[in-house]
Amino acid sequence: MEDIVNKVANSGLVNFDISDLVPKGKRLGIDIKDFLWEGMILKEKDFREKIKNIDEEIYKDAYVYIYCSEDVIIPLWAYFLITSKITDAAKKIVFGNREDLEVLLMHNAIQTYDFSELRDKRVLVKGCSDEFIPNNAYVELVEQLKPLVKSLMFGEACSNVPIFKN
């Protein structure tokens, strides 16, 4: 009887799951429309009062994105006021939508991750994830890995796409 050999395990291939870099924590959006008079007009006095009444605890340790779902002109100082109110509670605040937040979070995670353990290795970047991974994260990952790794592949061990070999 022949022994069953796991060729993938013996290949020296290092699996890298980019979803491990996704920062954990709640994501919350603040729609500036909710602070406008009739959802359309920024009245400074009313706006400041609504900002003053924000419960910062809601945003404790959250990743926050500030956006406006209505097509209205918002002065820049309005973003300053909201950010100033919650900055001590939130982990990170960005202007834009949820995807913009995820792009920035993944950018920061990739730029600060120590990839040295992958030096001169054959790396397979996992292709499927339960987490939302912005496409830009894969682009930045290749930028970081190309000078380090021996080879890079994408997908699963049984079915991968070779990207490059050094």
Side-chain angles (χ1 to χ4, degrees):
M1 185 169 246
E2 283 185 48
D3 289 337
I4 297 174
V5 176
N6 185 337
K7 292 180 182 178
V8 173
N10 294 335
S11 69
L13 203 57
V14 176
N15 286 302
F16 186 83
D17 188 349
I18 193 170
S19 69
D20 292 341
L21 300 182
V22 175
K24 306 298 181 232
K26 63 184 172 180
R27 273 74 163 152
L28 297 173
I30 297 177
D31 189 348
I32 287 187
K33 171 192 68 97
D34 298 335
F35 298 86
L36 304 177
W37 181 70
E38 294 187 6
M40 297 293 292
I41 299 170
L42 191 149
K43 290 184 171 182
E44 184 178 348
K45 184 178 179 185
D46 294 343
F47 187 82
R48 285 182 179 276
E49 189 63 32
K50 288 179 180 178
I51 298 300
K52 191 169 84 173
N53 292 325
I54 290 175
D55 179 6
E56 298 123 275
E57 280 302 305
I58 294 170
Y59 302 98
K60 183 158 180 58
D61 296 326
Y63 298 101
V64 180
Y65 54 101
I66 302 170
Y67 66 102
C68 188
S69 62
E70 293 294 329
D71 188 19
V72 296
I73 297 171
I74 306 293
L76 285 175
W77 57 261
Y79 300 104
F80 277 57
L81 285 175
I82 293 173
T83 303
S84 176
K85 177 68 176 181
I86 65 171
T87 198
D88 292 336
K91 282 186 180 178
K92 182 70 180 165
I93 307 165
V94 302
F95 169 78
N97 60 30
R98 169 75 185 263
E99 188 171 346
D100 295 328
L101 173 66
E102 298 302 335
V103 167
L104 185 71
L105 291 176
M106 286 304 291
H107 169 79
N108 291 343
I110 289 168
Q111 294 302 312
T112 58
Y113 187 81
D114 180 9
F115 291 102
S116 63
E117 66 191 34
L118 300 176
R119 184 173 301 283
D120 299 323
K121 302 277 181 33
R122 296 176 60 231
V123 177
L124 173 65
V125 175
K126 185 176 177 186
C128 297
S129 175
D130 293 334
E131 300 276 346
F132 169 73
I133 308 293
N135 290 344
N136 192 63
Y138 292 103
V139 171
E140 288 191 55
L141 184 63
V142 173
E143 271 187 317
Q144 294 295 316
L145 294 179
K146 186 152 191 215
L148 291 175
V149 302
K150 186 179 210 175
S151 65
L152 184 66
M153 290 155 275
F154 177 79
E156 304 301 322
C158 61
S159 172
N160 63 66
V161 177
I163 305 301
F164 69 81
K165 286 183 178 183
N166 281 334

